[in-house]
Amino acid sequence: VTARSQSKSGRPEFKPISEEQAKAYEHCCKNDIVFLSGPAGCSKTFTAIAYAIDHLLKDEERQLILTRPAVEACGEELGALPGGVAEKMQPFMHPLTDTIREYAGETRIQYSVVAMAHLRGRTIKNTILVVDEAQNASWRQLKLLLTRIGNGSKIILCGDGDQSDIRDSGLMAAAE
């Protein structure tokens, strides 16, 4: 868990409680493509969202896009979901949107939820793209995402290769 303290704005501030968390945040600051990998509970998603929000509040020209593979955990099948893409993706996005609400506090953060397949053909400019549960994406899906990066953008992929719910996870191959 990441330590938090309140800022003057009433919003929590990122305070890493381990050297690994501090390094992960630093990598987000210094690199355009970042892989945050580690076991469950090591704050991969929290670190990525904290970096994205901190950076968005400093640079209003950037946008935040959230995505993750639409894979049910452990083979569980929920069946067809009603609604448009945003409604279909929402159940999968709760870990990210909950983290945004927790970290942003009273600060309103604008973000888009986009299905991975809908990023095909786009050039992502002035954007922070956070990919959660990246271990559940195939190499082809991750290649599609990694080749979308444009000027002023960052892609942060969060995942743990040991927790994949698919046979052919592309996370480790993409990291290499």
Side-chain angles (χ1 to χ4, degrees):
V1 177
T2 306
R4 300 167 192 100
S5 65
Q6 292 294 107
S7 68
K8 292 177 184 174
S9 67
R11 183 177 68 74
E13 291 180 332
F14 182 77
K15 299 283 186 194
I17 60 170
S18 70
E19 187 176 326
E20 290 81 10
Q21 288 175 356
K23 285 181 183 178
Y25 192 92
E26 185 178 321
H27 282 298
C28 291
C29 293
K30 291 182 177 180
N31 299 289
D32 293 337
I33 299 175
V34 179
F35 291 84
L36 297 181
S37 182
C42 73
S43 296
K44 299 176 295 284
T45 300
F46 189 89
T47 301
I49 294 298
Y51 167 78
I53 290 172
D54 288 350
H55 203 76
L56 289 170
L57 293 175
K58 294 177 192 170
D59 182 359
E60 294 180 10
E61 296 297 315
R62 286 202 182 185
Q63 63 176 330
L64 174 59
I65 295 178
L66 309 174
T67 193
R68 68 186 285 182
V71 175
E72 285 94 2
C74 303
E76 179 182 18
E77 293 186 25
L78 301 175
L81 296 171
V85 173
E87 290 92 0
K88 290 178 189 301
M89 288 294 296
Q90 194 54 47
F92 299 100
M93 303 308 290
H94 283 297
L96 289 163
T97 56
D98 290 350
T99 302
I100 288 172
R101 277 191 290 282
E102 176 185 351
Y103 189 75
E106 302 288 322
T107 307
R108 296 200 60 141
I109 299 297
Q110 297 292 321
Y111 60 89
S112 302
V113 172
V114 179
M116 285 183 158
H118 293 182
L119 292 169
R120 178 183 296 272
R122 286 178 70 177
T123 300
I124 301 168
K125 296 178 184 173
N126 297 318
T127 298
I128 299 170
L129 173 64
V130 176
V131 183
D132 197 34
E133 297 294 326
Q135 77 273 4
N136 288 327
S138 69
W139 164 241
R140 289 181 64 206
Q141 287 173 304
L142 292 176
K143 184 177 170 184
L144 177 143
L145 294 177
L146 293 170
T147 58
R148 303 297 89 213
I149 193 167
N151 291 335
S153 290
K154 290 183 179 273
I155 298 177
I156 305 171
L157 298 105
C158 306
D160 177 5
D162 292 335
Q163 295 184 56
S164 180
D165 291 312
I166 65 170
R167 281 187 207 168
D168 299 321
S169 172
L171 181 63
M172 301 319 287
E176 289 175 15

